[in-house]
Amino acid sequence: MGATLLQLCPVLPATQATLDATYDVVRWPAEPAEQEAVLAQHGAAIRAVVTGGHLGIETALAERLPALGIVSINGVGYDRVDLPAMQRLGVRVSNTPDVLTDDVADLAIALMLNVMRGLPAAEQHVREGLWPGAQPALARRASGLRYGIVGFGRIGQAIALRLSGFGGSIAYTRPNRKETPHEYHEDIRALAAASDVLFVATSASAATRGLVDRAVLDALGPRGVLVNVARGSIIDEPALVAALTEGRLGAAGLDVFENEPHVPAALLPLPNVSLAPHVGSATHETRLAMGNLMLANLDAFFAGDPLPTPVV
Ligand code: 8YV
């Protein structure tokens, strides 16, 4: 049997089959009492942890795994892993960048089109047999607008690439200017004020927590559209709910939330909001590629080779 590995989240069956064939896999139970039993039985032997980007690992858990050498994240985000703590513990961390970029960018565009073109209402109209009959309310044109992107890394740039086919203008904000023809705003409020649609595609950190606050939402304004495919923590969620319910923000397309899977109840009845359950990377192709990269990092770690996509 291979090294003992603690699995914190489910993976695709094909990825699971490889994990099970290669490692002595211990699954992390939901119940605290069962977790204690797992730690008592396997804690000392666990050398690797597999987790999701949305999940990460609690430092307190890592501290109870004396043989832990790697946390292999099946996702690009590592905001739920305390990197300095992992370095202190001598634990490597890897993630799965690049392979999910296109899917997440596609979803950002889909959410924009969903809220602006009213696709959920249009589809409901057909499914309920209301066509022919009165057409659903007219929607809003999504092309030819001023698009703003918060974060201009891999995913932000992939969103820009897609938007370049929509006409209109593209601007972005990030800590420093990038070599790109698109307009740069140092200040997110200035970007929001100059945007019809604002895409959030930056990574979550202490620096970006609550970055999209009431002032940013008000700058985007009652016709403005907010799309978030990054992390819920980047937006001040109560401020977002208030802006939408009070009509100070035009619409929102949201794939991520502050306390997933909790979605603020006030958002559920709003017709100008499109909601998805954190599915940015959720295609067969991408989840398989993510699983393969997550496995490749584990394999490299145990072979003593450089990690293909290390974080630390
Ligand atoms: C997934 C993500 O939901 O990559 C990330 O950081 O949040 C998403 O791709 C998740 O990590 C799948 O495990």
Side-chain angles (χ1 to χ4, degrees), residues 17-18 22 34-35 64 68 78 87 93 100 116 121 125 134 163 177 201 225 228 230 239 244 253 271 279:
T18 308
T22 318
E34 290 172 32
Q35 293 174 354
R64 294 184 67 185
L68 183 62
Y78 46 83
Q87 282 175 306
V93 179
L100 46 64
M116 298 196 75
H125 190 81
L163 290 171
R177 192 183 290 270
V225 178
N228 188 9
L244 285 164
V279 291

Side-chain angles (χ1 to χ4, degrees), residues 9 51-54 73-77 96 100 230-231 278 281 287 290:
C9 69
T51 187
H54 60 295
I73 303 173
N74 191 39
V76 68
T96 62
L100 46 64
R231 285 289 187 266
H278 198 146
S281 67
R287 285 286 164 86
M290 289 163 67

Side-chain angles (χ1 to χ4, degrees), residues 40-175:
Q41 193 183 344
H42 304 282
I46 289 167
R47 297 181 61 199
V49 164
V50 166
T51 187
H54 60 295
L55 203 62
I57 182 171
E58 302 252 345
T59 302
L61 173 58
E63 282 170 345
R64 294 184 67 185
L65 306 175
L68 183 62
I70 182 168
V71 173
S72 187
I73 303 173
N74 191 39
V76 68
Y78 46 83
D79 48 297
R80 299 234 164 198
V81 181
D82 182 341
L83 299 181
M86 295 306 131
Q87 282 175 306
R88 170 171 57 80
L89 295 169
V91 174
R92 305 293 312 274
V93 179
S94 60
N95 66 345
T96 62
D98 298 315
V99 293
L100 46 64
T101 300
D102 285 334
D103 276 0
V104 178
D106 288 349
L107 189 80
I109 301 298
L111 286 171
M112 173 184 76
L113 291 173
N114 245 11
V115 286
M116 298 196 75
R117 296 301 308 268
L119 293 177
E123 182 156 350
Q124 200 179 348
H125 190 81
V126 175
R127 286 184 193 272
E128 287 179 0
L130 298 174
W131 185 47
Q135 286 283 308
L138 290 181
R140 281 179 65 188
R141 178 181 286 185
S143 58
L145 300 176
R146 299 170 305 157
Y147 307 102
I149 304 176
V150 180
F152 209 65
R154 287 176 283 249
I155 293 172
Q157 290 175 60
I159 292 172
L161 187 65
R162 283 152 179 76
L163 290 171
S164 64
F166 276 68
S169 62
I170 300 170
Y172 69 99
T173 187
R174 70 189 302 271

